[in-house]
Amino acid sequence: MDEVIQVTQWLSSITPRKKAKLFFFTTHADAPSPMVGSNDVDTHEETQLPLATTVALHNFKNIDEFLKKKVNTFSCYNVIENEITKTDYEYLRFYSACKYLDVVPPFLDLEKISAIQNKFEMTDEERDYRLLLDSADLVLEKVCDSLKPAGVSQMWTALRKDRNLIRGVKTIDIIGFFVDPNPTGIKECLFFFIVRFLQKADKINRVNTNRLERLIAQCDESSSCEEGKTIDFIIDSLRFYPTELYPFGFCLIMCVIEGRDGAMQEIEKTMEISRHLGMITHTEKNPTKETIELVKKELMKPKYQFYSSFTCWFMSHGDSNSMVLADGETIEREWFLTSFPDLSTFQLKPKVFFMVSCRGANKFSLKGDEFEGQSATCDYYDIGSALIRNRMLDITDSVRDISYVQPMMDTLVAYSTILDHLSGRANTHGSIYVDRACVLMSENISRGRSLTEILEHLSQDLHEILQETMDEDRIVYKQACHYDSFFRKTLKLPYTRHPKEDVHSAPQ
């Protein structure tokens, strides 16, 4: 059959809503870098004009033409070995979006997709199409689905009132002030236009969504929300780190085995919980400084920009400032923690570090006969809200910026013990902190808990456990863990994942 006819038949089989979503997912706001052929050409026409004309004319002609152009480009594309191009990235995005929406063209060359995945050095686990979908876009899709046409229309009206933001933007004028979003697919096109416009204007990104939340907050709840949804529910969905679908993220496990009883148990437990959470996991036993540098170099590869989060378990002996590596050398803990968050591949994504080692030799010792042999191994100020409001600054958009980000932002560091103190372990099971952390995370999957809630529970649980030193003094003591957070959103534990088979129903 002629290819033109095949493309026409394929487009005619896709509903308007799915066409709008396919366009949105395919014109993703951020692309991996570095890559060949990725210049700084303004993509305003490509990403916003088709949406604007579709909304204005109630006609999907321009989106159809965009999708035809993509298909024709991929059909003629020859995969070049050893260098990653912009088209490689676009091809993977297009395929994953089609797969997610259940509209894969029957004529799409899957061998080319496999060849591109080879260039990205993707493992079998990483070839799951869900890895290629952007979690932030999936969250925005759900926000759109939660709003009625009237709600999106109200967002548009609120946006049009911001004269400073829309001044001189031609696509805004194409749509006009008053919009009828009721025809099938038009609501989606208008919402996705608003999102891409705010992204291009540097008003929102995958972490900073305040500007979008403010537009939604101006909607009338009774007329703007789909059944069972509320304005608060929709806004709350934007206040979590986007980690939709599989995989939840990439997990790096580094464990010094030499001289650490139970270290293999630590590895088994952290691997098990990471996989249970839906992470793709890599383990480094007995790491050295050279190993760490090689891992950092590996994590700079373009494929890691597809991941939604990064988690690292580092388990070794240590003191107040440093950690002992497998070859007896030490590294500064601060150096380790500041070098990984700076990786561009995980920028604007949650990064969690579990640092499991002693940070000194001090112990919170328990004295008294009742503790012998019993070992398993503030003020409130009422400040009126009116007084607070009267003292608040008026922070305008002109003094806000989301372009520049401190490297440590979106990072959480969890320590197994407090500064200058021991981190306890059992002879056969390894770190007690690791054991309890894995148990609590496993128990709270599917309960909607955030990571910080789990860590607070872990702090309580661990501090109840009586531990005993292994020297001749046999001192009974307690261990206190804590964490430092630079998070800007909440990181929720995922629901149970199905890495080998996606059980979600296709979006409408």
Side-chain angles (χ1 to χ4, degrees):
M1 186 185 296
D2 182 81
E3 184 175 309
V4 175
I5 297 176
Q6 285 184 311
V7 174
T8 302
Q9 290 180 345
W10 170 67
L11 284 171
S12 65
S13 69
I14 305 175
T15 66
R17 289 184 66 197
K18 286 191 176 182
K19 282 183 182 178
K21 292 182 178 185
L22 181 57
F23 181 89
F24 178 65
F25 292 138
T26 304
T27 57
H28 177 60
D30 303 304
S33 59
M35 65 174 74
V36 177
S38 178
N39 50 35
D40 294 327
V41 175
D42 187 358
T43 58
H44 168 71
E45 295 289 322
E46 185 179 56
T47 61
Q48 295 183 51
L49 186 58
L51 290 171
T53 55
T54 301
V55 173
L57 303 175
H58 290 182
N59 186 313
F60 277 78
K61 178 182 176 181
N62 283 342
I63 287 182
D64 285 349
E65 289 300 318
F66 171 88
L67 295 175
K68 284 181 183 178
K69 182 180 177 181
K70 286 293 180 187
V71 169
N72 291 333
T73 298
F74 299 149
S75 177
C76 301
Y77 180 59
N78 293 317
V79 181
I80 304 170
E81 294 183 1
N82 301 326
E83 55 183 26
I84 295 174
T85 67
K86 182 180 179 182
T87 304
D88 289 330
Y89 172 76
E90 291 177 344
Y91 207 144
L92 292 182
R93 280 286 184 208
F94 180 77
Y95 164 71
S96 64
C98 288
K99 185 81 172 173
Y100 173 71
L101 295 167
D102 197 23
V103 295
V104 177
F107 47 84
L108 196 66
D109 192 341
L110 299 183
E111 289 186 1
K112 285 185 181 179
I113 293 170
S114 180
I116 294 171
Q117 289 172 328
N118 289 339
K119 290 168 62 175
F120 276 94
E121 300 178 31
M122 290 183 172
T123 64
D124 289 343
E125 282 185 296
E126 291 170 331
R127 290 171 189 256
D128 189 310
Y129 79 91
R130 291 168 293 177
L131 172 65
L132 307 174
L133 291 164
D134 184 76
S135 292
D137 282 350
L138 294 175
V139 170
L140 292 167
E141 179 207 16
K142 289 184 177 180
V143 170
C144 181
D145 290 345
S146 299
L147 290 166
K148 289 181 177 179
V152 179
S153 180
Q154 290 167 31
M155 289 176 61
W156 176 248
T157 300
L159 178 67
R160 286 295 305 255
K161 291 178 180 177
D162 191 336
R163 299 295 182 185
N164 293 327
L165 183 60
I166 67 172
R167 185 179 292 116
V169 182
K170 294 180 179 179
T171 46
I172 297 283
D173 295 330
I174 288 174
I175 296 176
F177 199 92
F178 298 103
V179 177
D180 177 13
N182 288 295
T184 304
I186 300 303
K187 176 195 80 169
E188 286 75 16
C189 288
L190 180 58
F191 179 82
F192 296 146
F193 175 87
I194 293 171
V195 166
R196 291 293 185 240
F197 170 74
L198 291 174
Q199 289 171 336
K200 178 175 169 47
D202 270 342
K203 297 301 180 183
I204 66 171
N205 55 34
R206 65 184 298 119
V207 171
N208 302 90
T209 54
N210 288 338
R211 193 66 183 83
L212 182 62
E213 292 171 25
R214 282 152 52 193
L215 289 179
I216 297 171
Q218 295 181 60
C219 295
D220 172 60
E221 186 164 278
S222 61
S223 61
S224 62
C225 300
E226 291 288 354
E227 186 176 354
K229 309 297 183 187
T230 65
I231 293 296
D232 285 344
F233 172 85
I234 296 171
I235 291 176
D236 283 347
S237 69
L238 290 168
R239 292 180 177 171
F240 299 102
Y241 281 108
T243 52
E244 301 293 303
L245 291 184
Y246 169 86
F248 179 61
F250 182 79
C251 181
L252 171 65
I253 299 171
M254 291 186 164
C255 184
V256 176
I257 299 173
E258 302 298 330
R260 297 183 65 249
D261 294 334
M264 291 304 298
Q265 284 283 327
E266 295 172 353
I267 293 175
E268 290 176 12
K269 291 171 186 175
T270 50
M271 285 182 64
E272 181 180 3
I273 191 60
S274 297
R275 288 171 177 166
H276 195 35
L277 289 169
M279 294 182 179
I280 292 177
T281 305
H282 176 75
T283 301
E284 289 288 346
K285 299 175 183 176
N286 287 326
T288 62
K289 193 164 186 176
E290 182 182 5
T291 305
I292 295 171
E293 292 295 345
L294 289 173
V295 168
K296 286 168 57 181
K297 185 177 180 180
E298 166 69 20
L299 292 174
M300 287 298 295
K301 292 180 178 178
K303 71 174 182 178
Y304 292 98
Q305 296 205 30
F306 291 113
Y307 284 92
S308 299
S309 69
F310 174 74
T311 299
C312 175
W313 292 84
F314 196 99
M315 297 166 282
S316 70
H317 289 305
D319 57 28
S320 59
N321 297 315
S322 60
M323 302 177 295
V324 183
L325 301 175
D327 56 7
E329 296 293 319
T330 61
I331 57 167
E332 294 295 312
R333 190 178 286 104
E334 190 68 21
W335 171 85
F336 181 86
L337 290 172
T338 54
S339 58
F340 276 91
D342 204 19
L343 294 173
S344 60
T345 40
F346 292 99
Q347 189 178 23
L348 301 180
K349 297 173 184 178
K351 297 165 283 288
V352 179
F353 294 83
F354 290 95
M355 310 303 293
V356 185
S357 68
C358 290
R359 301 178 67 194
N362 292 342
K363 298 170 287 294
F364 176 59
S365 303
L366 305 180
K367 300 179 180 179
D369 295 340
E370 67 272 25
F371 295 116
E372 291 185 8
Q374 297 185 25
S375 168
T377 49
C378 70
D379 290 332
Y380 175 75
Y381 295 92
D382 185 12
I383 302 177
S385 58
L387 178 60
I388 294 176
R389 284 197 302 272
N390 292 337
R391 294 183 178 181
M392 287 200 315
L393 291 171
D394 181 17
I395 307 297
T396 64
D397 283 349
S398 63
V399 295
R400 292 182 182 271
D401 173 78
I402 67 171
S403 303
Y404 301 97
V405 182
Q406 288 278 4
M408 284 299 290
M409 296 306 293
D410 307 306
T411 299
L412 183 148
V413 183
Y415 296 94
S416 63
T417 189
I418 59 178
L419 186 63
D420 296 327
H421 284 68
L422 286 175
S423 180
R425 57 191 305 100
N427 284 340
T428 55
H429 289 73
S431 167
I432 296 174
Y433 174 88
V434 169
D435 180 86
R436 302 316 301 161
C438 292
V439 166
L440 291 176
M441 282 190 276
S442 177
E443 289 178 350
N444 282 280
I445 287 179
S446 301
R447 294 183 181 178
R449 300 283 194 268
S450 69
L451 177 63
T452 49
E453 285 179 299
I454 303 302
L455 292 176
E456 286 155 6
H457 190 178
L458 173 60
S459 180
Q460 176 192 144
D461 186 48
L462 184 67
H463 200 57
E464 290 177 356
I465 299 172
L466 300 178
Q467 301 186 52
E468 188 175 62
T469 60
M470 299 304 173
D471 55 24
E472 59 184 18
D473 294 330
R474 311 294 289 183
I475 297 173
V476 178
Y477 68 98
K478 280 189 171 185
Q479 181 176 336
C481 59
H482 75 109
Y483 66 89
D484 295 331
S485 176
F486 302 89
F487 275 4
R488 292 182 286 170
K489 285 184 180 289
T490 302
L491 179 62
K492 270 194 175 183
L493 266 65
Y495 288 89
T496 302
R497 303 299 166 123
H498 301 270
K500 298 301 181 183
E501 180 182 1
D502 185 15
V503 297
H504 81 282
S505 57
Q508 298 178 351

